[in-house]
Amino acid sequence: MVRQSRALAVFGVAMAALAVVCLAGLVLDPRLLGGQPIWAKPLKFSVSFVLYAATLVWMVSLVSTPRTRRWARRGGVVVATAGTIEMVAIVGQVLRGRASHFNVATPLDTAVWSVMGTTIVVLWVATAGIGVLLLRERTLAPDTAWAVRLGLAVTLLGMAVAFLMTSPTGAQIAAAQETGRLTTAGAHAIGVPDGGPGLPLVGWSTTGGDLRIAHFVGLHALQGLPLLALALLVLAARRPVLRDVAVRARLVGVAGAAWAALTALLAWQALRGQSIIAPDATTLVAGAALAAATGVATLLVLRGGTRPRVTPDRILEPQS
């Protein structure tokens, strides 16, 4: 499998090594940036890239035709290159003691952020390209095919949420008009400044909206849905209804739709300035409706799978 995309495999190993370095940084470097340990951001990105690269290596291996596989490998090289540039920028800013995201305080900071913005677009396009290639793949089992396709689609949705963070906020524009200088362009928090009180480790805001939550949830559908398909296959040994690949494919479809809806719900909640730990009644009702719809759809799929298949009655030949 690794042979199918060595660039992605090397990138994944490098990110795993970087994660270890970042863990050491958390222990040895007491500096804070934006209210969080300065090595927390590269740690989160490196772990995320390890999962991302490993999943894409597996997906590239699913491509059967040589010509299409070559294009998938090229897409993997683009992803690995863009991801490497992204991490060099993030770690470089950590070493300088500067913010990597949204930082336009100096010409160098602006250049770094511009490069990072470009790599985000390149990653999105390359991932979409691999997704298009897999849409054309006809050798996959239906449950695996839907897990891969929906996983990529929801991941692209999660990645797209990041673009909502890149425009200057009203407060930043007002500050720039007052001082004549724009130092920060964009934010992940809504309704409150970045760097305020947050959840442990992830740092998601506990006082306002935070687009990173929807970004994170959507991004990791790429791992979650294929793992669900694998789990259903394992459970099929004990649950007869799951032995039908069509039933497993429908369940993956239900999960994919629910995952996309949850990503959209979390983005909508954040854009209204609501903390993840303080949803209002509207958000709670929407979440309950999503959970109920997912549960009903799952039960309908399972009940449909347990019904005996109707076959035409055998026509008996008249006896003489």
Side-chain angles (χ1 to χ4, degrees), residues 241-242 244 246-254 294-307:
V241 66
L242 297 178
D244 187 343
V247 171
R248 299 199 302 272
R250 293 188 192 106
L251 289 174
V252 169
V254 170
T294 304
V296 169
T298 301
L299 288 174
L300 288 175
V301 170
L302 293 174
R303 288 189 63 182
T306 59
R307 293 174 185 171

Short mmCIF file of all heavy atoms in Angstrom, two decimals, residues 241-242 244 246-254 294-307:
data_model
loop_
_atom_site.label_atom_id
_atom_site.label_comp_id
_atom_site.label_asym_id
_atom_site.label_seq_id
_atom_site.Cartn_x
_atom_site.Cartn_y
_atom_site.Cartn_z
N VAL A 241 -28.19 -9.19 9.72
CA VAL A 241 -28.70 -8.14 8.85
C VAL A 241 -27.57 -7.36 8.18
O VAL A 241 -27.72 -6.83 7.08
CB VAL A 241 -29.62 -7.19 9.66
CG1 VAL A 241 -28.82 -6.43 10.71
CG2 VAL A 241 -30.33 -6.22 8.75
N LEU A 242 -26.40 -7.32 8.83
CA LEU A 242 -25.28 -6.57 8.29
C LEU A 242 -24.48 -7.35 7.27
O LEU A 242 -23.52 -6.81 6.69
CB LEU A 242 -24.36 -6.11 9.43
CG LEU A 242 -24.97 -5.15 10.45
CD1 LEU A 242 -23.96 -4.82 11.54
CD2 LEU A 242 -25.43 -3.86 9.77
N ASP A 244 -25.53 -8.24 4.49
CA ASP A 244 -25.92 -7.72 3.19
C ASP A 244 -25.14 -6.43 2.94
O ASP A 244 -25.29 -5.44 3.67
CB ASP A 244 -27.42 -7.44 3.16
CG ASP A 244 -27.92 -7.04 1.78
OD1 ASP A 244 -27.10 -6.68 0.92
OD2 ASP A 244 -29.15 -7.10 1.57
N ALA A 246 -25.49 -4.24 0.77
CA ALA A 246 -26.37 -3.11 0.46
C ALA A 246 -26.84 -2.42 1.74
O ALA A 246 -26.96 -1.19 1.79
CB ALA A 246 -27.56 -3.58 -0.37
N VAL A 247 -27.12 -3.22 2.76
CA VAL A 247 -27.53 -2.65 4.05
C VAL A 247 -26.39 -1.83 4.64
O VAL A 247 -26.59 -0.71 5.13
CB VAL A 247 -27.98 -3.76 5.02
CG1 VAL A 247 -28.18 -3.21 6.42
CG2 VAL A 247 -29.25 -4.42 4.51
N ARG A 248 -25.18 -2.37 4.59
CA ARG A 248 -24.03 -1.63 5.13
C ARG A 248 -23.80 -0.34 4.35
O ARG A 248 -23.48 0.71 4.94
CB ARG A 248 -22.77 -2.50 5.11
CG ARG A 248 -22.88 -3.77 5.95
CD ARG A 248 -21.50 -4.35 6.25
NE ARG A 248 -20.73 -4.65 5.08
CZ ARG A 248 -20.76 -5.81 4.41
NH1 ARG A 248 -21.56 -6.79 4.83
NH2 ARG A 248 -20.01 -6.00 3.35
N ALA A 249 -23.98 -0.38 3.05
CA ALA A 249 -23.80 0.81 2.23
C ALA A 249 -24.83 1.88 2.59
O ALA A 249 -24.51 3.07 2.68
CB ALA A 249 -23.90 0.46 0.75
N ARG A 250 -26.08 1.44 2.84
CA ARG A 250 -27.12 2.42 3.21
C ARG A 250 -26.83 3.03 4.58
O ARG A 250 -27.05 4.22 4.80
CB ARG A 250 -28.49 1.74 3.21
CG ARG A 250 -28.96 1.31 1.83
CD ARG A 250 -30.40 0.82 1.88
NE ARG A 250 -30.74 0.14 0.63
CZ ARG A 250 -30.88 -1.18 0.50
NH1 ARG A 250 -30.74 -1.96 1.57
NH2 ARG A 250 -31.17 -1.71 -0.66
N LEU A 251 -26.34 2.23 5.50
CA LEU A 251 -25.99 2.75 6.82
C LEU A 251 -24.85 3.76 6.73
O LEU A 251 -24.86 4.79 7.42
CB LEU A 251 -25.60 1.61 7.76
CG LEU A 251 -26.74 0.71 8.22
CD1 LEU A 251 -26.20 -0.47 9.03
CD2 LEU A 251 -27.77 1.48 9.04
N VAL A 252 -23.88 3.48 5.88
CA VAL A 252 -22.79 4.44 5.65
C VAL A 252 -23.36 5.73 5.05
O VAL A 252 -22.95 6.84 5.41
CB VAL A 252 -21.71 3.84 4.74
CG1 VAL A 252 -20.73 4.92 4.28
CG2 VAL A 252 -20.96 2.73 5.47
N GLY A 253 -24.33 5.59 4.14
CA GLY A 253 -24.97 6.77 3.55
C GLY A 253 -25.69 7.61 4.59
O GLY A 253 -25.60 8.84 4.58
N VAL A 254 -26.40 6.95 5.50
CA VAL A 254 -27.07 7.67 6.59
C VAL A 254 -26.04 8.40 7.45
O VAL A 254 -26.21 9.58 7.80
CB VAL A 254 -27.89 6.70 7.46
CG1 VAL A 254 -28.39 7.39 8.72
CG2 VAL A 254 -29.07 6.15 6.67
N THR A 294 -31.55 10.82 12.09
CA THR A 294 -30.52 9.80 11.90
C THR A 294 -30.95 8.47 12.49
O THR A 294 -30.77 7.41 11.87
CB THR A 294 -29.19 10.26 12.55
OG1 THR A 294 -28.81 11.52 12.00
CG2 THR A 294 -28.09 9.24 12.30
N GLY A 295 -31.53 8.51 13.69
CA GLY A 295 -31.99 7.28 14.31
C GLY A 295 -33.10 6.60 13.53
O GLY A 295 -33.08 5.37 13.34
N VAL A 296 -34.07 7.38 13.06
CA VAL A 296 -35.18 6.80 12.28
C VAL A 296 -34.66 6.20 10.98
O VAL A 296 -35.05 5.09 10.59
CB VAL A 296 -36.25 7.89 11.99
CG1 VAL A 296 -37.26 7.39 10.96
CG2 VAL A 296 -36.97 8.28 13.28
N ALA A 297 -33.78 6.93 10.30
CA ALA A 297 -33.22 6.43 9.04
C ALA A 297 -32.45 5.13 9.26
O ALA A 297 -32.54 4.18 8.46
CB ALA A 297 -32.32 7.47 8.40
N THR A 298 -31.71 5.06 10.35
CA THR A 298 -30.96 3.84 10.67
C THR A 298 -31.89 2.67 10.92
O THR A 298 -31.67 1.56 10.41
CB THR A 298 -30.07 4.08 11.91
OG1 THR A 298 -29.17 5.15 11.64
CG2 THR A 298 -29.28 2.83 12.27
N LEU A 299 -32.94 2.90 11.70
CA LEU A 299 -33.91 1.83 11.98
C LEU A 299 -34.61 1.36 10.70
O LEU A 299 -34.83 0.16 10.51
CB LEU A 299 -34.95 2.32 12.99
CG LEU A 299 -34.45 2.49 14.43
CD1 LEU A 299 -35.54 3.11 15.30
CD2 LEU A 299 -34.01 1.14 15.01
N LEU A 300 -34.94 2.29 9.82
CA LEU A 300 -35.60 1.92 8.56
C LEU A 300 -34.68 1.06 7.70
O LEU A 300 -35.12 0.08 7.08
CB LEU A 300 -36.02 3.18 7.80
CG LEU A 300 -37.19 3.96 8.39
CD1 LEU A 300 -37.42 5.25 7.61
CD2 LEU A 300 -38.46 3.11 8.39
N VAL A 301 -33.40 1.42 7.68
CA VAL A 301 -32.45 0.62 6.90
C VAL A 301 -32.33 -0.78 7.48
O VAL A 301 -32.37 -1.79 6.75
CB VAL A 301 -31.07 1.30 6.87
CG1 VAL A 301 -30.01 0.36 6.27
CG2 VAL A 301 -31.13 2.59 6.06
N LEU A 302 -32.22 -0.88 8.81
CA LEU A 302 -32.08 -2.19 9.45
C LEU A 302 -33.34 -3.02 9.31
O LEU A 302 -33.28 -4.23 9.07
CB LEU A 302 -31.72 -2.01 10.93
CG LEU A 302 -30.34 -1.40 11.22
CD1 LEU A 302 -30.17 -1.14 12.70
CD2 LEU A 302 -29.24 -2.31 10.70
N ARG A 303 -34.52 -2.40 9.44
CA ARG A 303 -35.77 -3.15 9.29
C ARG A 303 -35.95 -3.62 7.86
O ARG A 303 -36.39 -4.74 7.61
CB ARG A 303 -36.96 -2.28 9.69
CG ARG A 303 -37.06 -2.04 11.20
CD ARG A 303 -38.36 -1.37 11.55
NE ARG A 303 -39.49 -2.21 11.23
CZ ARG A 303 -40.77 -1.86 11.39
NH1 ARG A 303 -41.05 -0.66 11.88
NH2 ARG A 303 -41.74 -2.68 11.09
N GLY A 304 -35.57 -2.75 6.91
CA GLY A 304 -35.65 -3.17 5.51
C GLY A 304 -34.73 -4.33 5.21
O GLY A 304 -35.05 -5.21 4.40
N GLY A 305 -33.58 -4.36 5.90
CA GLY A 305 -32.63 -5.45 5.67
C GLY A 305 -33.06 -6.76 6.26
O GLY A 305 -32.56 -7.82 5.85
N THR A 306 -33.98 -6.73 7.25
CA THR A 306 -34.41 -7.98 7.88
C THR A 306 -35.61 -8.60 7.19
O THR A 306 -35.98 -9.73 7.50
CB THR A 306 -34.79 -7.73 9.36
OG1 THR A 306 -35.84 -6.75 9.41
CG2 THR A 306 -33.59 -7.24 10.14
N ARG A 307 -36.23 -7.90 6.27
CA ARG A 307 -37.40 -8.45 5.58
C ARG A 307 -36.97 -9.55 4.63
O ARG A 307 -35.99 -9.42 3.92
CB ARG A 307 -38.13 -7.36 4.80
CG ARG A 307 -38.79 -6.32 5.71
CD ARG A 307 -39.36 -5.21 4.89
NE ARG A 307 -39.89 -4.15 5.74
CZ ARG A 307 -40.31 -2.97 5.29
NH1 ARG A 307 -40.23 -2.70 3.99
NH2 ARG A 307 -40.79 -2.07 6.13
#
